[in-house]
Amino acid sequence: MPHDVVTFMEFDHAQFSTNRHIGIPLLATHLPYSLLPRSIIDSGCKLIYICRDPKDTFVSLYHFIARYSKSQNTQPIQLDEAFELFYKGVSCYGPYWDHVLGYWKASLEHLDKLLFLKYEELIEDTVLYLNKIAEFMGYPFSSEEQQQGVPENIVQLCSFENLNGLEVNKTGKHRDGQGNLAMENNIFFRKGKVGDWKNYLTTEMPRRLDQRTLQKLSSSGLSF
């Protein structure tokens, strides 16, 4: 399970001291840039931010929360109600557009410290962006590794299809034994497809989200 390998700063790292000594120099977070501790901003550590088209972001988030709610024997809210909340900016970790803009502006100011990526581009050419990530982190693949197909092998190993097919991600639990933080691994795996929002949103919903996105991102230089 990927989240068992790279722990979340605001959950696993903050609440369980044992996770601070596992020897993996990577942390994940959903925090907005404005809420990152100064120790992170001032440390010189590198940040990689991945954003996604707001329409797919909403659909993915809705299904994740709905599946988690059902696993806890609670009834999830209806999709149209959830959409209105997301549209108004009522969402996990704040309004989505503010979240994206925070990291986008920081990436323009600190090109050597913050790599800003789009999910859609990662899906389109994963090997290309894996190479970019390796270079950004200061560990580029050698010519020999390139010739041996190491980047391609990593992409295959970490692909949605491979991870989704692992038995641990079908039957295992993330944070097992840690109270209400525990959840079934299969909740994290749904489709991973670009444009899946077309299967769930009404004609009006994407139009409104696109308008809100244009409004929020205007003059920023960022677009989806």
Side-chain angles (χ1 to χ4, degrees):
M1 174 63 184
H3 290 321
D4 288 334
V5 178
V6 181
T7 58
F8 267 92
M9 180 178 69
E10 58 268 35
F11 295 113
D12 313 288
H13 193 71
Q15 299 190 35
F16 304 98
S17 59
T18 53
N19 286 319
R20 301 169 202 166
H21 309 289
I22 57 178
I24 299 176
L26 297 172
L27 287 174
T29 184
H30 284 312
L31 288 177
Y33 187 80
S34 60
L35 289 184
L36 290 178
R38 288 306 314 178
S39 58
I40 290 180
I41 304 300
D42 298 336
S43 69
C45 71
K46 298 205 171 185
L47 304 174
I48 299 175
Y49 182 78
I50 303 176
C51 68
R52 192 177 187 182
D53 183 292
K55 300 185 291 294
D56 274 330
T57 296
F58 164 70
V59 169
S60 178
L61 177 62
Y62 173 77
H63 283 288
F64 175 80
I65 294 176
R67 293 170 79 179
Y68 177 72
S69 297
K70 290 178 181 177
S71 75
Q72 301 297 305
N73 296 317
T74 58
Q75 186 67 29
I77 64 174
Q78 296 298 310
L79 186 139
D80 56 348
E81 182 181 353
F83 175 86
E84 292 301 328
L85 291 172
F86 185 84
Y87 179 80
K88 294 174 183 177
V90 181
S91 184
C92 303
Y93 301 95
Y96 182 68
W97 300 273
D98 294 350
H99 200 292
V100 171
L101 278 174
Y103 281 94
W104 170 249
K105 292 176 181 178
S107 74
L108 299 179
E109 296 173 3
H110 308 286
L111 293 174
D112 59 329
K113 292 183 179 179
L114 204 163
L115 180 62
F116 189 97
L117 301 173
K118 295 180 180 178
Y119 182 82
E120 293 77 15
E121 293 174 347
L122 284 168
I123 291 294
E124 186 175 354
D125 196 338
T126 311
V127 173
L128 171 68
Y129 282 95
L130 174 61
N131 278 290
K132 288 188 176 185
I133 290 171
E135 291 175 10
F136 173 74
M137 295 299 292
Y139 295 95
F141 294 105
S142 66
S143 297
E144 183 180 359
E145 288 173 326
Q146 294 280 7
Q147 292 173 0
Q148 293 174 347
V150 172
E152 289 80 3
N153 289 338
I154 291 174
V155 168
Q156 173 57 32
L157 179 70
C158 300
S159 68
F160 178 90
E161 291 75 18
N162 185 58
L163 292 175
N164 188 42
L166 296 178
E167 187 61 31
V168 66
N169 292 327
K170 294 179 179 179
T171 60
K173 265 195 171 185
H174 179 48
R175 301 192 190 100
D176 198 12
Q178 297 179 4
N180 59 4
L181 288 177
M183 64 177 68
E184 297 170 4
N185 287 347
N186 59 30
I187 292 175
F188 291 93
F189 296 88
R190 195 176 66 89
K191 292 183 180 180
K193 301 293 184 183
V194 173
D196 186 52
W197 58 266
K198 297 174 184 176
N199 297 314
Y200 298 95
L201 302 185
T202 65
T203 304
E204 183 69 9
M205 287 176 176
R207 185 190 67 79
R208 291 176 62 196
L209 271 187
D210 285 344
Q211 286 183 340
R212 177 57 56 91
T213 299
L214 286 173
Q215 174 191 17
K216 291 287 187 177
L217 302 187
S218 63
S219 74
S220 70
L222 175 64
S223 62
F224 287 99

